[in-house]
Amino acid sequence: MIKAAGAVLWRDAGGDVEVAVVHRQRYDDWSLPKGKLDDGETIPACAVREILEETGYSCVLGRHLRQVSYQVRGVPKTVDYYAAEAVSGSFEENDEVDSLKWLPVAEASSLLTYEPDREVLEEFARLPADLLLVLLVRHAKAGKRSEWDGDDDLRPLSGAGWRQAEALRTLLPLWAPVRVHTAPRVRCADTVRGVAADLSVEVVEEARLSEEGYWPDPDAGLVRLLEVAALEGRAVVSSQGGVIPSVVQSLAEMGGLRLDKIPCKKGSTWVLAFTRPFGAWSTSDSPSRWPTLVSAHYLPSALPRP
């Protein structure tokens, strides 16, 4: 299996969205930027690296768009595509790409050589480019409850859990979160404490998103998560396995989004994308003006696959 990743790289052009298409001299085609995973690399990290190498632009990831599958000389290959906003840089001709064009979506679609690329671009255009994001993380592995004599709130991460937390420190910044929130558990906080340190922000405790705080009033927990999304734009929230599936399922039902399964492994992340409310927003507004979940993508691990 060959694994690759790429993105629809976009920018704001005076209120309109333009996307980048690249010409590869080796194949004489116009395509979306993409490339194969390096050893020890995650799929999201590959997408960001390939964008930089092929286009010269640093980017911030958005929602996952789709996975494309095909055969290369009899070997199966998958390419995961993300939306990605260009934040800095400029194009220079390189070994893989000799030309880049910024175009409105319709013009870019007409130029692309391959139908799967056009389908990826169509999925990108289905929703606004600039969405709210919550990176909903289940805490990393902790020592066994049966082997811990103290208060369970204080049960620490295991060695494997610390490795997962360190990997999240590399993975989550690819979406450029600005704040870090956590259920009031040592294992939840320690899972994302390194991310907060790198952002130079405090870890904000969220009692409504712990198991004992969520279940007496699930609606209040959902409202709190939507508030974090709406008021901060991009945020990390670390919670527990007894909360996350209910939160994701409830938000999906509210948004009319169908999810067949809602896995929740320790150290995993749900990348949740929401529509932005128009104008100023508060929880006292009508629910019709609240952020709506429009995309939910599951990352089972922050660690690269062997």
Side-chain angles (χ1 to χ4, degrees):
M1 172 72 73
I2 300 170
K3 289 191 171 292
V8 174
L9 183 68
W10 66 275
R11 69 181 183 183
D12 187 317
D16 295 322
V17 170
E18 291 182 335
V19 298
V21 292
V22 298
H23 183 264
R24 302 183 298 177
Q25 56 268 43
R26 178 182 178 184
Y27 304 102
D28 190 22
D29 62 9
W30 287 94
S31 67
L32 300 174
K34 66 179 183 297
K36 293 186 293 186
L37 269 67
D38 286 342
D39 291 340
E41 188 173 45
T42 62
I43 287 173
C46 174
V48 171
R49 176 184 56 77
E50 285 290 339
I51 290 294
L52 180 61
E53 290 180 359
E54 292 197 358
T55 72
Y57 286 89
S58 298
C59 68
V60 171
L61 292 183
R63 67 184 176 102
H64 183 267
L65 298 174
R66 62 178 300 173
Q67 185 183 85
V68 173
S69 301
Y70 53 95
Q71 299 274 328
V72 178
R73 294 185 293 277
V75 178
K77 179 177 181 178
T78 62
V79 187
D80 283 85
Y81 286 96
Y82 292 85
E85 182 180 8
V87 293
S88 65
S90 60
F91 174 74
E92 291 185 7
E93 184 176 343
N94 54 73
D95 291 341
E96 296 185 59
V97 175
D98 61 356
S99 181
L100 179 148
K101 292 185 178 182
W102 287 102
L103 298 170
V105 170
E107 292 181 33
S109 182
S110 297
L111 183 61
L112 288 169
T113 302
Y114 306 111
E115 180 61 26
D117 281 5
R118 288 191 287 272
E119 292 172 355
V120 171
L121 190 55
E122 181 180 7
E123 171 58 26
F124 168 80
R126 185 176 64 84
L127 294 170
D130 188 18
L131 296 168
L132 305 171
L133 284 176
V134 171
L135 304 169
L136 184 56
V137 178
R138 183 180 179 187
H139 69 75
K141 294 179 179 179
K144 294 182 179 179
R145 185 173 305 192
S146 61
E147 298 176 359
W148 177 253
D149 295 330
D151 185 341
D152 189 59
D153 291 1
L154 304 178
R155 184 156 50 97
L157 297 181
S158 65
W162 282 113
R163 289 191 291 275
Q164 289 177 318
E166 192 63 22
L168 286 166
R169 196 170 181 171
T170 300
L171 178 71
L172 300 182
L174 299 175
W175 285 268
V178 297
R179 294 293 305 217
V180 177
H181 301 253
T182 182
R185 295 284 189 279
V186 165
R187 55 191 179 274
C188 293
D190 282 350
T191 297
V192 294
R193 197 179 302 280
V195 178
D198 294 340
L199 294 174
S200 299
V201 298
E202 297 293 327
V203 179
V204 180
E205 288 196 351
E206 299 291 349
R208 292 284 190 186
L209 296 173
S210 66
E211 289 176 350
E212 81 283 358
Y214 176 80
W215 284 110
D217 190 353
D219 287 347
L222 294 174
V223 168
R224 178 55 190 150
L225 190 138
L226 291 173
E227 186 176 37
V228 168
L231 300 182
E232 297 183 1
R234 290 174 177 252
V236 172
V237 176
S238 178
S239 187
Q240 298 175 267
V243 173
I244 291 172
S246 175
V247 167
V248 175
Q249 181 65 47
S250 298
L251 291 172
E253 290 176 355
M254 291 165 60
L257 190 65
R258 180 179 176 180
L259 299 176
D260 294 330
K261 295 185 295 182
I262 305 180
C264 187
K265 293 175 62 177
K266 290 179 180 177
S268 64
T269 302
W270 277 95
V271 181
L272 306 178
F274 302 84
T275 56
R276 288 181 177 271
F278 292 104
W281 181 86
S282 76
T283 54
S284 62
D285 287 347
S286 165
S288 64
R289 291 198 67 244
W290 290 1
T292 300
L293 184 68
V294 291
S295 173
H297 181 63
Y298 180 67
L299 298 170
S301 175
L303 294 166
R305 290 186 177 183

